[in-house]
Amino acid sequence: MDYVWEQSQRQPWIVNNLFKRATIKILDEKSTETVELKHIIEACRQMIDARETHLDLLVYRMQDAAVKPVVETIISGEMNMDLNLDSPGVQQAMDLGLVMFDTEKGLTISNPIYTEILTRVVNSSMQIMMPPPSNFKWQKPDGSLDMDSLL
């Protein structure tokens, strides 16, 4: 239960989805086996990988011009003096449930699952621009590191 709380941070959809996956998809729905931490961890991984409608909506919401800089600032850890709790973008991101204010940490993404999804979105443009491994100049044909090319 502690893990579910940590991952969901009170998001009912996440709690319901984790247990639904654990009891129907990971365990057989006719199973009498007790749901364990390993089942919930696997359910969490599957939920992120599946990018279900609820999680895809996060990506859509993050594209909003006011919300995007808020999320990017939190994920990158950079300082943005234009952002404060009264900023329209911060208020909108909080209203959407994407971010929350923690008295110890400041503005944070609402839960680890949202952090995973939103980090992938922020980094996706960088991933697209990376050359395929065959173009890496520091890699030998056998896949090992070519230290001479790094000098």
Side-chain angles (χ1 to χ4, degrees):
M1 293 306 288
D2 290 340
Y3 182 78
V4 171
W5 168 256
E6 174 190 312
Q7 295 300 306
S8 68
Q9 295 294 313
R10 299 183 307 268
Q11 295 283 344
W13 182 88
I14 293 175
V15 174
N16 291 336
N17 193 286
L18 286 174
F19 281 103
K20 179 180 176 183
R21 279 186 174 279
T23 56
I24 294 174
K25 295 186 178 185
I26 296 168
L27 296 173
D28 184 88
E29 58 185 281
K30 295 177 184 169
S31 173
T32 59
E33 187 178 344
T34 301
V35 173
E36 296 178 12
L37 178 59
K38 66 183 179 183
H39 302 121
I40 298 297
I41 291 171
E42 177 60 20
C44 187
R45 188 197 60 75
Q46 285 183 11
M47 187 172 56
I48 290 168
D49 289 346
R51 286 204 34 191
E52 295 177 10
T53 303
H54 175 82
L55 298 176
D56 258 355
L57 284 173
L58 296 177
V59 175
Y60 174 76
R61 289 174 175 165
M62 199 202 118
Q63 299 308 317
D64 183 283
V67 172
K68 189 173 184 175
V70 175
V71 173
E72 288 176 339
T73 299
I74 293 169
I75 289 172
S76 69
E78 294 179 6
M79 285 294 261
N80 184 340
M81 298 309 284
D82 295 329
L83 297 180
N84 59 59
L85 291 177
D86 296 324
S87 302
V90 171
Q91 284 299 308
Q92 187 173 350
M94 290 176 78
D95 290 346
L96 292 169
L98 297 175
V99 303
M100 65 180 193
F101 181 75
D102 182 293
T103 55
E104 294 177 15
K105 300 176 188 174
L107 279 175
T108 64
I109 303 299
S110 293
N111 61 61
I113 292 172
Y114 287 6
T115 300
E116 178 71 26
I117 297 293
L118 295 174
T119 300
R120 289 181 185 194
V121 172
V122 168
N123 292 328
S124 66
S125 61
M126 295 171 78
Q127 292 170 1
I128 292 169
M129 299 307 295
M130 288 189 70
S134 61
N135 294 341
F136 291 152
K137 294 178 170 68
W138 45 262
Q139 187 176 24
K140 292 181 182 178
D142 67 358
S144 62
L145 186 61
D146 182 356
M147 294 300 290
D148 294 332
S149 69
L150 298 174
L151 300 174

